[in-house]
Amino acid sequence: MFQDHSDLELVARCVAAQDPAAYGELVQRHQSQVRGFLRKLTRDIEFADDLAQDCFLHAWRKIQTYSGRGSFIGWLLKVAYTTFLQSARKTKRYDEILGEVGQQRAAVGAHVTVDPHEVADVDKFLAVLGEDERAVLLLSYAYGLSHREISSATGFPVGTVKSIIFRSKEKIRERFDIEDHQYG
Amino acid sequence: MTSKIINMVERMKDKQDRALEALLRSEPIADDGFTAHVMGRIRRREWVRRLALPVAIALGSLLALPPALRLLAIGRVIAADLRVDQLATYALETTPGLVPVAAVGVLVTVALLAVTILED
């Protein structure tokens, strides 16, 4: 029904008419990206999908705050990241994630050559990064957000976003050799 | 020569960037009822939000009606036969009738708070 409508048109319908059908189209369009982002952030599929549901509920209640500047998926990922932080602080899971990352960091010590074609688990790369670094790197490379959009999503100044990206790439470069190959 | 070196450095950075993009890009995740589940939760919350306040007001009004009518009757009596020396007695007689009204006020306030918490 709404396949031909742009994200902005659907948001306008949601704000003006509180149209659940229009919002349902938005959810369907972007659920894969939001769930993928949260799954990589939390490294727990069920927990990530629960957070994704909460994210879309929050987004429904606050949809009138989307100003139209920047992409809708950028705004959604901001809501997703905020939802993740709120949940992480509330639950013991936060300490468990820190503990897991700490253990994996200890394990990843040697210089490893990795062929991207053979690596199925990007957690090896993400595990060497801190929570903030992981989020910023995902938003930049997985979802193509600009530095300004990442700054808006995470609350970090643009300069800090650039520093985090640089630092994260250095960490990955130190521990892994990503071989060159043709990218489609 | 310098520009060639700079271009080579940029191309090397681009290769690492492309490698990261390829690694971090997610495979599409099938909906598998996710959207339907989210929309179901939204519709249920909308119903609760729309019904909670009218129900609380209706319930509160029903509870408040008898004591309110009683207060009205007492007020008429006072107005008809007002004697200053009996005001204190009238006040003492009226106070018990105010307790249910105050309770209803608390009930409506709690209902409004509950709606707000549910929305959160």
Side-chain angles (χ1 to χ4, degrees):
Chain A
M1 182 178 169
F2 293 111
Q3 284 87 351
D4 296 335
H5 289 62
S6 67
D7 284 352
L8 203 54
E9 288 169 345
L10 292 172
V11 170
R13 285 187 72 93
C14 292
V15 172
Q18 290 280 294
D19 185 354
Y23 190 68
E25 175 65 24
L26 285 169
V27 174
Q28 197 165 27
R29 278 185 198 178
H30 299 295
Q31 58 86 25
S32 177
Q33 291 167 293
V34 171
R35 289 164 76 191
F37 172 63
L38 288 169
R39 285 182 180 188
K40 284 197 171 68
L41 212 53
T42 62
R43 296 180 294 152
D44 182 330
I45 291 175
E46 282 186 25
F47 182 50
D49 284 356
D50 286 344
L51 284 182
Q53 286 190 33
D54 291 343
C55 162
F56 281 110
L57 287 170
H58 293 157
W60 166 249
R61 279 188 18 248
K62 297 184 187 307
I63 198 157
Q64 69 281 359
T65 64
Y66 173 57
S67 63
R69 291 176 63 188
S71 61
F72 182 69
I73 184 59
W75 180 83
L76 258 186
L77 290 173
K78 173 183 177 178
V79 176
Y81 186 60
T82 308
T83 305
F84 164 73
L85 289 177
Q86 287 173 349
S87 178
R89 284 169 195 150
K90 281 179 192 173
T91 65
K92 290 181 191 173
R93 184 72 188 156
Y94 184 62
D95 291 329
E96 290 173 12
I97 289 172
L98 286 180
E100 285 171 10
V101 172
Q103 287 171 7
Q104 291 206 15
R105 277 179 179 159
V108 179
H111 196 73
V112 178
T113 299
V114 179
D115 185 343
H117 287 295
E118 293 172 359
V119 170
D121 188 8
V122 299
D123 287 347
K124 289 177 188 172
F125 296 90
L126 296 175
V128 304
L129 304 175
E131 184 182 277
D132 295 340
E133 292 166 340
R134 213 179 311 149
V136 168
L137 210 66
L138 283 169
L139 290 171
S140 177
Y141 287 98
Y143 300 98
L145 266 59
S146 66
H147 293 158
R148 184 169 295 197
E149 285 181 306
I150 296 171
S151 170
S152 172
T154 58
F156 299 131
V158 173
T160 306
V161 168
K162 293 178 183 176
S163 299
I164 290 175
I165 290 174
F166 177 79
R167 194 170 67 229
S168 305
K169 286 166 63 177
E170 286 297 309
K171 280 188 185 180
I172 291 174
R173 194 183 297 128
E174 282 170 14
R175 288 173 173 82
F176 305 99
D177 263 342
I178 302 176
E179 292 180 1
D180 183 18
H181 75 163
Q182 293 298 317
Y183 300 99
Chain B
M1 183 63 181
T2 308
S3 60
K4 281 186 181 176
I5 293 171
I6 291 172
N7 286 339
M8 281 172 62
V9 170
E10 287 298 322
R11 277 202 294 274
M12 285 168 63
K13 283 186 180 175
D14 287 344
K15 283 178 183 176
Q16 189 191 19
D17 289 341
R18 285 196 295 271
L20 283 171
E21 284 174 5
L23 281 165
L24 296 177
R25 197 177 300 132
S26 298
E27 289 296 318
I29 299 173
D31 192 290
D32 286 338
F34 178 86
T35 300
H37 196 68
V38 168
M39 295 315 296
R41 284 181 69 179
I42 287 176
R43 288 192 176 97
R44 278 193 295 277
R45 286 203 174 190
E46 287 297 300
W47 273 112
V48 168
R49 191 175 64 83
R50 284 173 191 164
L51 288 177
L53 191 57
V55 165
I57 290 173
L59 196 62
S61 302
L62 278 173
L63 289 170
L65 195 60
L69 289 174
R70 210 173 133 218
L71 279 172
L72 202 61
I74 292 170
R76 283 200 194 114
V77 168
I78 292 172
D81 189 22
L82 182 62
R83 287 171 59 177
V84 175
D85 58 332
Q86 289 185 338
L87 271 178
T89 312
Y90 284 143
L92 281 172
E93 285 177 1
T94 310
T95 301
L98 288 174
V99 170
V101 176
V104 163
V106 170
L107 184 69
V108 171
T109 305
V110 168
L112 286 170
L113 283 172
V115 167
T116 309
I117 289 167
L118 274 173
E119 281 191 340
D120 289 340

